[in-house]
Each structure stands twice: as C-alpha cells, then as structure tokens.
C-alpha cells in the first residue's frame, strides 16, 4: 500500500522555490520600519520554512522561504539580526502588538 509514501516536491527540500513577490514584500517591510529582526520558523508537516520579520513596535509579517540558509542570507544582506524561533521563541513585543490589535475597536 502506498498511503504513506511521499512524493518529492519540486524545488528542493523546502518545496517550491520562493516567489519573488514574497522576497520583495519582506524587503519592503524591513526597509520601511525600524528595528526589524528576522526569525526563522522551521518546516513542519503542515507548513514550509517561513521567515518572520518583527519591527520595533511588534508589527510583523511572515512569508515562506526556501530554506533556513536562504533566510539567513536574506537577513544578513539587509543587516538584520536573525534568530531561530525554536531556540529563542517569539518576541514579547510581537505578542503585545497582537493583543493591541485584538483590543482595537473595529
């Protein structure tokens, strides 16, 4: 039976190659905000590797990225500190930002 057999995905181990629009979005976010830091979120059975960018005020954005190595290179090119979410966790300012957004009147 072949129920649990996985087929290799095109584009390498992370799946499909990163969309240029995703990289442009991340670049624009990083350049238009202060104190942006990068957090690499590992691939899971449900999601591919993602790069989370968090600004000084906790505003954040997330996009799929090809691999942790590509994420590190991207962050270094933009002179951003880069962290592994598995080791460091999510920053408190991001949680505070999410809470402020939930409490904001619609």
């Amino acid at each position: 039976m072949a129920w649990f057999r996985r087929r290799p995905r095109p584009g390498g181990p992370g799946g499909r190659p990163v969309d240029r629009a995703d990289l442009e979005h991340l670049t624009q976010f990083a350049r238009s905000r202060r104190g942006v830091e990068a957090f690499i979120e590992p691939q899971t059975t449900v999601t591919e590797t993602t790069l989370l960018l968090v600004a000084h005020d906790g505003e954040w954005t997330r996009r799929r990225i090809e691999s942790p190595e590509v994420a590190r290179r991207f962050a270094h090119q933009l002179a951003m500190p880069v962290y592994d979410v598995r080791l460091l966790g999510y920053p408190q300012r991001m949680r505070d930002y999410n809470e402020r957004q939930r409490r904001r009147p619609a």
Side-chain angles (χ1 to χ4, degrees):
M1 285 191 155
W3 288 350
F4 299 106
R5 202 175 308 152
R6 288 188 172 215
R7 294 184 183 167
R9 294 192 229 171
R16 53 194 172 157
V18 174
D19 186 345
R20 186 166 246 358
D22 289 340
L23 292 177
E24 289 172 8
H25 171 80
L26 292 170
T27 301
Q28 190 276 333
F29 183 90
R31 289 186 175 157
S32 63
R33 288 155 180 87
R34 290 186 304 120
V36 177
E37 296 177 322
F39 294 84
I40 300 170
E41 299 176 308
Q43 179 179 357
T44 67
T45 55
V46 179
T47 62
E48 296 181 33
T49 302
T50 54
L51 185 61
L52 173 74
L53 301 184
V54 182
H56 79 285
D57 63 352
E59 182 182 3
W60 58 274
T61 190
R62 170 188 289 127
R63 291 293 185 271
R64 185 179 50 79
I65 195 111
E66 207 165 324
S67 69
E69 294 76 28
V70 171
R72 281 186 195 88
R73 264 187 275 139
F74 176 82
H76 287 283
Q77 286 174 348
L78 294 177
M80 282 187 289
V82 61
Y83 307 104
D84 187 330
V85 165
R86 289 177 296 191
L87 301 176
L88 195 62
Y90 294 97
Q92 184 62 46
R93 68 182 182 277
M94 179 182 160
R95 288 188 227 116
D96 294 343
Y97 177 84
N98 288 341
E99 185 62 29
R100 287 192 307 271
Q101 296 304 320
R102 271 193 284 278
R103 292 178 185 214
R104 214 166 88 184

